[in-house]
Amino acid sequence: MTKKDVSYYDLVLYVLSFLLIIATPFLARLIAPLFDWAGYGAMRNFFNELFTAIIWVLEIILLAIFYRKKFKENILSNPETKGVELSLKRIAVISVVTALCIFVISIQIRFQVKPFYDLGEKFNGYDLINNLGIFLRNIIKCIWIVIMLRAMQNFIGQMLKKDVCKVPYAGLVLMLTVGIYDVIVGANTLTWTYLFFYMVYGWLYLLTDRSMIKTYLLVMFIFLF
């Protein structure tokens, strides 16, 4: 496999992941009405989000199997980062960046607990269940985000002929694609804030020395809280 081939496969993975993020919720909306008997339709949003998350998991698994068997590439981890310990300086920077993100969000929601802020002032049991569906969907969406960060950072690094690219280009591309899509569909509260956070995710990916699991945990923490 040549370097050009690897770059091409990374680009295809990024585009395909983005398309699945967009298309899968439409498929889930076709399935959700079949469960309107639960809660007399009041839980439809929950099932929309639940089946989006379930289908996304299946898609990620299938993509991982395909890339491993076809291209001998693991899209869910960076083997070279396994067992690599981060320096105290990097840990400190990561902690500060993450804390600042949470602080920015907290200011905007007047230091409320974000899950309850998302629900609004008046909510009932069904709202709680529907919000649980959103949590599940976002937990899986964070996996897509990290997969796409890795793919795009690899692609751009190889196009620039740099084995180690220290500029978070992937975060910028993610902001201009997934981030703008989120703004258009109103995927989250504080949408414009999370739009710029995609740049931060790209930076965190590099700060963790391209560790996908560390990046995922940080992105999920920022995304949910």
Side-chain angles (χ1 to χ4, degrees):
M1 186 183 297
T2 66
K3 203 167 188 179
K4 182 179 179 181
D5 291 331
V6 173
S7 299
Y8 172 76
Y9 297 143
D10 285 329
L11 178 61
V12 170
L13 176 60
Y14 185 93
V15 173
L16 184 56
S17 299
F18 184 39
L19 292 176
L20 290 173
I21 286 176
I22 295 174
T24 300
F26 290 99
L27 177 58
R29 290 189 190 104
L30 297 177
I31 301 174
L34 299 176
F35 294 83
D36 278 352
W37 51 267
Y40 303 99
M43 294 173 58
R44 181 178 292 187
N45 286 338
F46 167 75
F47 287 110
N48 283 339
E49 307 296 358
L50 175 64
F51 284 109
T52 295
I54 291 173
I55 298 171
W56 273 349
V57 169
L58 295 175
E59 291 166 349
I60 290 169
I61 292 173
L62 291 175
L63 272 177
I65 293 173
F66 177 77
Y67 265 73
R68 181 182 289 275
K69 289 188 174 181
K70 185 69 176 180
F71 309 124
K72 309 300 181 184
E73 184 176 354
N74 188 342
I75 68 170
L76 295 176
S77 70
N78 278 333
E80 62 271 20
T81 66
K82 288 185 178 180
V84 176
E85 295 186 2
L86 299 178
S87 66
L88 292 177
K89 180 179 178 180
R90 286 204 178 196
I91 293 174
V93 173
I94 290 170
S95 299
V96 170
V97 171
T98 304
L100 283 175
C101 289
I102 301 301
F103 183 68
V104 168
I105 295 171
S106 297
I107 290 176
Q108 294 180 76
I109 64 176
R110 298 182 297 279
F111 295 95
Q112 299 179 52
V113 179
K114 188 174 183 297
F116 291 101
Y117 172 83
D118 291 337
L119 284 172
E121 294 182 0
K122 297 180 179 180
F123 58 89
N124 54 39
Y126 288 125
D127 291 324
L128 287 171
I129 294 173
N130 290 334
N131 201 50
L132 175 61
I134 295 173
F135 275 9
L136 292 173
R137 181 251 289 166
N138 283 337
I139 286 172
I140 307 305
K141 186 176 181 179
C142 290
I143 300 177
W144 279 125
I145 289 172
V146 179
I147 289 173
M148 295 171 76
L149 282 173
R150 175 185 179 275
M152 184 52 62
Q153 194 70 27
N154 285 349
F155 172 71
I156 294 179
Q158 291 165 8
M159 289 296 98
L160 296 176
K161 298 181 179 179
K162 294 182 179 180
D163 293 330
V164 178
C165 186
K166 297 183 179 180
V167 180
Y169 293 111
L172 175 61
V173 176
L174 205 63
M175 182 182 73
L176 296 176
T177 51
V178 181
I180 290 178
Y181 168 74
D182 285 350
V183 171
I184 293 173
V185 301
N188 304 290
T189 56
L190 308 178
T191 307
W192 289 100
T193 299
Y194 281 99
L195 169 67
F196 292 105
F197 277 0
Y198 280 106
M199 278 290 296
V200 178
Y201 301 155
W203 188 25
L204 288 174
Y205 176 66
L206 297 182
L207 285 173
T208 60
D209 201 17
R210 292 174 168 78
S211 170
M212 295 187 73
I213 183 63
K214 292 185 181 74
T215 305
Y216 170 74
L217 293 173
L218 291 168
V219 170
M220 184 179 64
F221 186 74
I222 294 172
F223 214 98
L224 297 182
F225 299 103

